[in-house]
Structure formats: C-alpha cells, structure tokens
Amino acid sequence: MDKKIRVLIVDDSAVVRQSLTTILMSDPEIEVMGTAADPIIAVKKIQKEVPDVITLDIEMPRMDGLTFLRKIMAQHPIPVVVISSLTSEGTETAMKALEYGACEVIGKPAMNSGQFILDSQILLCDAVKAAAQSKLSRKSAQAKTVAETPGTTVTPPVTRRNTVVQPLEVKPKLTADVILDKGTALSRMVQTEKVIVLGASTGGTEAIRHLLKEMPPKMPGIAIVQHMPEGFTKSFANSLDKISNLEVKEAENGDKLYQGRVLIAPGNKHMLLKNVGKEYYVEVKEGPLVNRHRPSVDVLFRSAARYAGHNAIGILLTGMGNDGAAGLKELQDAGAHTIAQDESTSVVFGMPKEAIKLGAADKVLPLNEITNHVVHQLSVKS
C-alpha cells in the first residue's frame, strides 16, 4: 500500500487551519502531519520532520509567506501549495510565489455551499497530490532572505520519500461531453486563419511564461487554459502581457481572437473556441468540473477541433492527470498539428504522458524547442 502524502499547513488563522485539515484528511491518500501559525513555528517542525508538501498562506505575522517560500526554495526545496485570499494584492503576490517556486496557487475555500465545498476538496487535494509528484530545483533568492534571522535556517533534513499516488476517484468524473458534444469537426470549411490552443496545469505558469516570452508578435491568436482558481487568472494574464511581444488578457465572453492576441481562460469558467466566418472568438461559460477541472483543457481542445480543425495547433504542457489528452487526440483526428511537452522538462509528466499514450502527439518536445517548432510550422517570421 502506498504511503500517504504528509502535509504541513502553515496559516495564521486557526479557522483556516482547521478547515484545511478537514478537507485534506477527507482524502485517504493524504495525512496532515501538523499545522503552524507562522513560518517560524513551521521551520521548527520541519527541522524535526520533513513534510512531503507544505500549504502556505502569504500574509502572516513574524515572517510573510513569500519570504519563507524563497528561503525554502533557495536552501532545501519542498513542494509548496500557496493558499491565498482572493484580493488584488493577494493575487499579485501569489503570482510572485509561482515565480519563486510554488507548485500551485489555490484560493482559500469559502464554506458557502455544498457544491463549492466539494469542488474545493477536489481542487485542493489534487493540488497537493500534484505538488507531491513535482520535480523541484533550488532557486536563488532574488533579494535579501531571512538567512541572518536566528532560528529560521532550514537545516538539511532526511531525504523526502518518493510518494507514488493515484488520482482521487470522485464519481462521476465528467468529460467534455457535459459542455460540448463531440459532434462533427468543421475542419474542411473555407477558413485559412491559423490558431493555437494550449493547455497546462502544475508547472504550467512558468512554462507558458517561457513560451510567450520567446514568441514573435505576428503569431496567430492563442487560447490558453491554465488550471488556476478564479481571481488569479487576471493577474496571471497581466503579468504575461508585461513580458510578451503579444497582447495577453483574461478572456471575456465574446472576445475576438486574432493575430498577436492571447486569451487566458478565466478561473472557474470553461472557455470554448468558436468562429464566425474566418474570425475566431471565445465563449466563456459556467459548467461542472470536467476531468476535475474548471476551466478544462479538453473543453477548449474539443471546441478547437470542431471550429478550427486542421487550422489549429494544439500544445499540451506539464500537469497532473489526463485533462487535455483526449482533446489533443480529437485535434489530431481533425487534422491539427499536435505537440506534447517531454518528460525531462515537465514539472509533472502527467497530462502530456497520457496524450502520448493515446498517440495524440505528432511531436514530443522539450519546452525550449516548442516555440521554434511552432514558428517553423507556421512559417512565422519575427
């Protein structure tokens, strides 16, 4: 029997610590090994016993979560899931946390409805499992850390155990059928505009940042689903817009998708690609979790298979689970060119692996080769 994933919860709110404990302990594959009201207490606990995953609040007394994260990642990396309030300041800081090495960002669960609690349980438990499987490397601190602060040095503990986990089975596990029936691809329509659709999960924020930073301004329209909570995708899009040659924004229902524009699916909403004549636009809509996610990569990919077909390029990046695998196959069957990120550069080789197993990827490439391959495929010149 596989060993449980041991989690240390770090949050200054006793109510939040109890809520997170209840949610995580509901999963038989997860064990909460302890809680800490601030990073100073957390360091003392880590020195005695190393968790497999840390859940971390950002705003805390004595030491803020971002400083603690940077210290952990610079010294002895441990997978971290940031759990932050949905405030403008909190979301901006959470984006920095991803840059500094956090595996996932999750919004703090609000216990306001049965369905919301169930969705929060699924998303939080999956985030912890994905973090436990992630490949980490040390990150140099980009500013002064707390190395000089007495009692905050994270001493080398025992080596983390390799934890093999299986996805939590929650019935029913819905497919893209609940949002868009498979139907018939319209790939033979008189349409010449190219479009790129991309999906990612754990590790995807930095992978997407890397790709968009390298892309020339005359790229076709790009639609992206990155598994991320409501409230964080706008900050993510804004941060990408600052470093890219392309216009990047969080998608709104009816937004047009054209050359040089990137639309990021908003958290907690599904995004579909559609068209009127030769013009693409996106539909943003409510709906149940698909493959345990909202937004779902499969939903975007299926819509692209139908409305773009052979005019599309599909890219599936790092992430846990299988969201996007079936959709990439549908794209391939519709005549699209399909790409999966390789194992060596994936933080979690789950989603690309499942697509490769289906034979859905025309090319399996390391992250640093994807942009050049796409540019060559499109004959786009910077």
Side-chain angles (χ1 to χ4, degrees):
M1 185 175 180
D2 295 330
K3 294 180 179 179
K4 292 185 177 184
I5 300 169
R6 298 171 302 162
V7 180
L8 174 64
I9 297 170
V10 186
D11 196 294
D12 63 326
S13 167
V15 173
V16 172
R17 293 197 301 272
Q18 182 57 54
S19 297
L20 295 179
T21 298
T22 300
I23 290 173
L24 291 173
M25 291 294 284
S26 68
D27 191 308
E29 298 173 8
I30 297 174
E31 171 189 349
V32 175
M33 58 166 271
T35 64
D38 63 49
I40 307 299
I41 298 172
V43 166
K44 294 177 181 178
K45 289 180 178 287
I46 292 169
Q47 288 171 340
K48 294 179 181 178
E49 183 181 7
V50 188
D52 295 310
V53 177
I54 297 171
T55 69
L56 181 65
D57 187 20
I58 295 294
E59 298 178 2
M60 288 179 291
R62 295 211 285 175
M63 185 194 300
D64 67 275
L66 201 59
T67 301
F68 177 60
L69 171 67
R70 294 167 75 181
K71 185 172 182 63
I72 285 285
M73 291 303 165
Q75 293 184 1
H76 304 284
I78 298 171
V80 172
V81 175
V82 168
I83 302 180
S84 179
S85 300
L86 295 175
T87 63
S88 58
E89 182 178 347
T91 54
E92 291 292 341
T93 305
M95 292 305 100
K96 290 182 181 179
L98 289 169
E99 294 179 34
Y100 295 158
C103 296
E104 297 271 7
V105 171
I106 297 291
K108 284 190 176 179
M111 304 300 182
N112 55 6
S113 75
Q115 185 59 48
F116 192 93
I117 293 171
L118 176 60
D119 288 354
S120 295
Q121 174 189 350
I122 292 170
L123 296 173
L124 178 57
C125 291
D126 279 358
V128 166
K129 291 178 182 182
Q133 293 186 10
S134 63
K135 293 181 285 189
L136 297 179
S137 59
R138 292 190 182 188
K139 287 182 175 283
S140 299
Q142 298 179 22
K144 182 179 179 182
T145 67
V146 293
E148 298 83 5
T149 306
T152 60
T153 301
V154 183
T155 56
V158 295
T159 303
R160 283 181 62 228
R161 294 177 290 115
N162 291 326
T163 306
V164 180
V165 297
Q166 300 297 324
L168 177 65
E169 290 297 328
V170 176
K171 302 295 184 179
K173 183 176 180 180
L174 303 176
T175 70
D177 292 341
V178 298
I179 304 297
L180 177 69
D181 64 84
K182 194 166 184 178
T184 303
L186 304 179
S187 57
R188 301 294 179 257
M189 61 204 296
V190 182
Q191 179 178 319
T192 57
E193 293 298 319
K194 298 294 184 181
V195 67
I196 297 170
V197 288
L198 186 153
S201 190
T202 308
T205 54
E206 288 306 299
I208 291 168
R209 189 181 304 276
H210 175 85
L211 293 183
L212 294 189
K213 194 172 183 179
E214 291 189 336
M215 286 183 174
K218 292 185 179 180
M219 294 295 287
I222 304 173
I224 297 176
V225 164
Q226 163 68 48
H227 294 158
M228 188 175 282
E230 181 179 9
F232 294 96
T233 40
K234 186 173 183 177
S235 292
F236 179 49
N238 291 342
S239 69
L240 293 173
D241 186 62
K242 293 175 183 177
I243 57 93
S244 175
N245 294 313
L246 308 167
E247 174 202 356
V248 186
K249 75 180 292 282
E250 182 186 53
E252 298 177 73
N253 190 46
D255 272 350
K256 291 183 178 180
L257 187 63
Y258 45 75
Q259 184 183 82
R261 188 179 224 192
V262 181
L263 296 178
I264 307 289
N268 205 34
K269 300 277 179 62
H270 291 297
M271 183 173 74
L272 293 78
L273 179 73
K274 294 197 171 181
N275 73 310
V276 175
K278 294 183 179 182
E279 289 191 342
Y280 293 109
Y281 70 96
V282 296
E283 179 182 357
V284 174
K285 62 189 298 183
E286 306 278 352
L289 299 180
V290 172
N291 290 325
R292 305 165 65 77
H293 293 286
R294 184 175 52 240
S296 163
V297 182
D298 267 345
V299 170
L300 173 63
F301 282 6
R302 172 171 290 185
S303 66
R306 177 181 295 188
Y307 292 100
H310 67 277
N311 295 300
I313 292 179
I315 305 172
L316 190 58
L317 301 178
T318 173
M320 192 186 87
N322 65 354
D323 189 32
L328 198 70
K329 181 60 177 169
E330 290 180 25
L331 276 167
Q332 185 187 58
D333 291 344
H337 184 68
T338 56
I339 303 165
Q341 186 177 354
D342 75 345
E343 182 174 9
S344 66
T345 60
S346 293
V347 173
V348 178
F349 190 53
M351 288 157 45
K353 180 181 179 181
E354 293 303 314
I356 293 166
K357 285 164 66 175
L358 291 176
D362 295 326
K363 290 286 185 179
V364 179
L365 299 172
L367 181 65
N368 60 1
E369 294 182 15
I370 293 176
T371 295
N372 285 340
H373 176 76
V374 171
V375 170
H376 176 75
Q377 193 74 20
L378 295 165
S379 298
V380 172
K381 296 181 180 179
S382 54

